Amino acid sequence: MKIKRIVSLLLIISIACLPILASCNGKTGGNSGTTAVGDTQDTAPVSATDPKEQFDPKLAPVDMGGYVFQVATRDDNAPYHNYPAHTRDLYAEAENGDLINDAVYRRNSAIEDKYNCKIEMDAYPENIDESTLNNNVDKAVKAGDKSYDLAMTHMMYGVTTATKGDFYDIATFPNIDITKPYWNKGANDGCSIGHRLFTGLSDYSFSTNENVYCIFFNKQLIQNYGIENPYQLVDNNQWTFDKFDQIIRVGYSDLNGNGVSDKDDQFGYASSNSVEFLWAGGSHMAAKDANDIPYMDFLSQRTTDIYAKAFDITNNDFTFSEDQWYKDDGIKIFQDGRAVFHGSQLCRVNNLRGVTFDYGIVPYPKFDSTQENYYSYVDGHASMMGIPLCLPHPEWTGMLIEDMSYLAYKDILPVYYDVVLDVKMVRDEESVAMLKILFDSKVFDPAYIMGLSLWIDWINNIMKKNTDIVSMYDKESATLQKNMQKTIDAILAIQ
């Protein structure tokens, strides 16, 4: 590996692909929403010597007299999401030699020294109920208690909590500026309703990147079967649904010789689920109008064409498809060296540290070569922030969130990209370049954020080998629209 080239790539990533961007009744509207739901970004011109410090919020020190800034989050022990994506962003007990842990510790210590405060974290067990955190926040708000300054919530449960009137509007919160590049514009555009932002995302929660869906490939099997280099296909704008469908068909082998395609065989593609193709192909479930109000916008020729391609790719003898979207058989098959490709969340690299073969990472393919950009959807398990009501000093909470988000952007993310992505996760410099594409192309669909069931309906429909997406949607559309409108009405009714 060429060290100088790697450093250059990582410097590009650390600058270019970083996400862009009172009282219990002190909530007002903001200006965070647009019609876009992709994670595109605009960055101001940067200094050649100090590219990030120009975005320093320059908040003056305030003596908070030992104020405890309390963060609520989920632990890292979910049965099907057991990776460190909820806690390491937020808190470190002490330095221990792990570079990310130590960077987080130094960030928090600097904030504690600047403001004479204390940062603490409560991590609720997730192995029983992912909404435990939200239920406790709701109880505290209803009781008029200040239990937490910040709740790092599951994306979908966060919207539910917001509709109960439990969160402040982040877009208008004191000392927070969501136009700064350490606030994720794509996520905040997807989460806003009527220019109100009750759940959002900043670089304070940088591990959200690991919830992006991507495709892993086994380099040895690529070579064995004479398959075209996926990196070159991406670079040459030939990484498309049709090309992917073509090359996965040469990777199947009936290893157990029983004449039936089963999970003991070798596959061209091991799929975790099929809904990734909806966003990868440039479509969506919902869009926004000029007033930042979401509306269902699912059925189109584009969507039906994508569905047909996704069906063909995932329903054949050359693809292993999970019988449930959260099962682990697909990643195990890839770990065993029995799949050329595997599609899943980027965090699955944590399952691949012990594999003996070399692997690479690419985005999901485009629908066709006329599609301008790649699109990568972010799993709902990603942490989103909500600021619970009844804070004694909202202006202090805003200062702490803003400063910690900025310092994560400036000091922690370079360590994250360098150490985690380059050393622990990916094994070649081409994959580092692919990660820039992934992080620049994140998609946050309003209907998905709201937890509407259409994404599961899509997966189940393909699992049942039903080629008809139109009838499925027609059957569910009235309920989907009703539930969406209920969420919109609840958000707009908040005073």
Side-chain angles (χ1 to χ4, degrees), residues 159-160 162-164 193 294 450 452 478-494:
V159 175
T160 301
T163 62
K164 298 177 180 179
I193 297 176
M450 290 181 186
L452 301 184
T479 299
L480 291 166
Q481 293 180 41
K482 178 181 178 181
N483 289 339
M484 172 176 276
Q485 193 60 50
K486 183 178 179 181
T487 297
I488 293 170
D489 291 343
I491 293 296
L492 297 182
I494 295 172

Side-chain angles (χ1 to χ4, degrees), residues 144-218:
D145 296 336
K146 183 273 181 185
S147 295
Y148 300 104
D149 291 81
L150 187 63
M152 302 304 299
T153 168
H154 188 289
M155 185 187 297
M156 298 175 183
Y157 292 116
V159 175
T160 301
T161 304
T163 62
K164 298 177 180 179
D166 290 343
F167 292 148
Y168 290 95
D169 184 349
I170 299 172
T172 59
F173 200 75
N175 296 311
I176 284 179
D177 181 359
I178 64 169
T179 69
K180 290 292 184 71
Y182 42 86
W183 286 92
N184 190 296
K185 185 178 187 301
N188 296 338
D189 286 348
C191 288
S192 66
I193 297 176
H195 304 299
R196 294 179 164 199
L197 186 67
F198 293 112
T199 58
L201 181 65
S202 78
D203 286 335
Y204 187 49
S205 182
F206 53 82
S207 288
T208 296
N209 286 319
E210 291 175 48
N211 288 273
V212 173
Y213 270 77
C214 63
I215 289 183
F216 303 96
F217 65 91
N218 183 315

